[in-house]
Amino acid sequence: MSQDLMTPAVAPQRWVIPPLARMILQRLAAAMVVLFVVTILIFAFIHAAPGGPEQAIGGREATPELLEAIRDANHLNDPLWQQYVSFVTSLLQGDLGTSYTRREPVSTSIATAAGVTIPLLLATWVLSTVIGGMLGLYTARRQGSRADRAVIGFTVVGASSPVFATGVLLSYVFGVELGWLPTLGAGEGGLDTVTHLILPVLTTTIVLMASTTRFARIRFGQVLEEDQVTFARSRGLSSRYIIRTIVLKNSGVQMITLAGAVLVAMTGGLVVVEQVYGLQGIGTLLITGITMRDIPVVQGVTLVVAVMVVVINLVVDILCFVIDPRLRKGLETPS
């Protein structure tokens, strides 16, 4: 018998992708599909709407000859699929196109608007999630107390008030009556910009903090009623230790998911606040682009917002898998 037949066959080694890496690759693949569908839908809706961008470029007094020249110059007479392919090709090269009305690259317009929107977005997100989480934890430990009832009343009022109504009320009180804070514009940089953003941040924080407080109160209250908390108390462990090692740890996934959902909602929901306070942010840029039928601007802003939403969801998923071993176990490759 030959030596080869006596040697046991060795099964080829399978190349196994780590669970977390596999999850990220799956999410990225899904994100690519979502962004592809988004670009198609946006492109179709814009071109299905009545009117045309050549009128916005040429103005009301534009002659038919001028309008036709504008369409030729911007390839608006090309078949729709050719325009879409051209858009995707430019996009893959990092080019979002040139604004019809602003006469500048769309990326420049978005970067300028993001200078207003990003500080507003981050400040509101941090305040609403941190303060809302702290209020939720505080009231969950004191359910039925005066403080609990007061916070619940605040959350009901805050969640029931439209953003524009809250903004108008704060502008009237602090801007018109008291004269403490500016009510329009984003300022000229530095401390002036900070003072201009106080009222917009306060407006969105009040509305969002109501939701985060209620959610945190419910979730923290559920964990505080679990047997492990009762057992920990019976062992004489301190409240601070119980909060840190049991309550916060067991509520981490839900709170991270909530924080991500708040950020996603704000990404598409700051349009109203920017309109109320006259801020030239991304939301205002999008509204102006739609009004003027500035197709490159609408496409660029929508795509950037979609990318932000996808990235936020991906980061939330990764954080949840990192902090919760039960989710990681569910991703393990079966042997």
Side-chain angles (χ1 to χ4, degrees), residues 38-283:
V38 167
T39 58
I40 293 177
L41 292 178
I42 293 300
F43 209 83
F45 283 136
I46 290 175
H47 286 80
E54 67 274 12
Q55 196 70 55
I57 300 174
R60 295 182 177 180
E61 305 300 328
T63 63
E65 292 76 13
L66 177 59
L67 296 178
E68 186 61 26
I70 293 173
R71 293 187 65 84
D72 287 337
N74 292 278
H75 305 285
L76 297 175
N77 287 323
D78 294 345
L80 193 59
W81 68 269
Q82 288 187 6
Q83 295 184 47
Y84 178 75
V85 171
S86 177
F87 166 66
V88 173
T89 303
S90 300
L91 191 63
L92 293 176
Q93 297 173 352
D95 182 12
L96 293 176
T98 302
S99 169
Y100 292 156
T101 57
R102 295 171 177 265
R103 310 295 186 186
E104 65 179 10
V106 174
S107 57
T108 302
S109 300
I110 294 176
T112 303
V116 176
T117 300
I118 296 300
L120 174 62
L121 184 74
L122 293 179
T124 303
W125 178 65
V126 170
L127 290 175
S128 60
T129 53
V130 172
I131 298 178
M134 294 174 64
L135 283 177
L137 179 60
Y138 179 81
T139 54
R141 299 175 60 190
R142 297 167 176 79
Q143 295 191 22
S145 64
R146 289 185 179 179
D148 182 34
R149 292 195 293 271
V151 172
I152 290 177
F154 159 74
T155 59
V156 172
V157 174
S160 304
S161 303
V163 175
F164 71 90
T166 305
V168 171
L169 177 62
L170 293 178
S171 295
Y172 178 76
V173 174
F174 295 101
V176 178
E177 288 295 322
L178 299 177
W180 290 353
L181 295 168
T183 58
L184 289 175
E188 298 178 354
L191 184 60
D192 189 42
T193 298
V194 173
T195 56
H196 277 77
L197 291 180
I198 289 178
L199 284 180
V201 169
L202 187 60
T203 300
T204 47
T205 298
I206 289 175
V207 176
L208 291 173
M209 195 169 63
S211 301
T212 55
T213 301
R214 286 197 300 179
F215 181 89
R217 178 180 179 276
I218 294 173
R219 179 55 191 159
F220 289 142
Q222 291 174 341
V223 178
L224 287 171
E225 293 178 355
E226 292 180 354
D227 294 339
Q228 54 183 333
V229 174
T230 304
F231 179 69
R233 286 172 176 164
S234 66
R235 294 174 56 195
L237 299 177
S238 65
S239 297
R240 180 174 299 181
Y241 180 83
I242 294 174
I243 294 297
R244 187 176 63 251
T245 60
I246 300 178
V247 177
L248 294 181
K249 185 177 180 181
N250 289 346
S251 305
V253 172
Q254 290 81 5
M255 296 308 298
I256 289 176
T257 304
L258 172 65
V262 169
L263 194 54
V264 169
M266 291 172 55
T267 301
L270 288 179
V271 176
V272 177
V273 178
E274 290 182 357
Q275 292 294 304
V276 170
Y277 290 100
L279 301 175
Q280 299 300 315
I282 290 180

Side-chain angles (χ1 to χ4, degrees), residues 305-334:
V305 172
V307 169
M308 291 176 63
V309 171
V310 168
V311 171
I312 292 169
N313 286 324
L314 179 61
V315 171
V316 169
D317 287 343
I318 294 174
L319 290 177
C320 290
F321 281 107
V322 168
I323 68 172
D324 194 336
R326 294 170 296 183
L327 297 177
R328 294 198 299 272
K329 187 176 180 180
L331 286 177
E332 291 178 355
T333 304

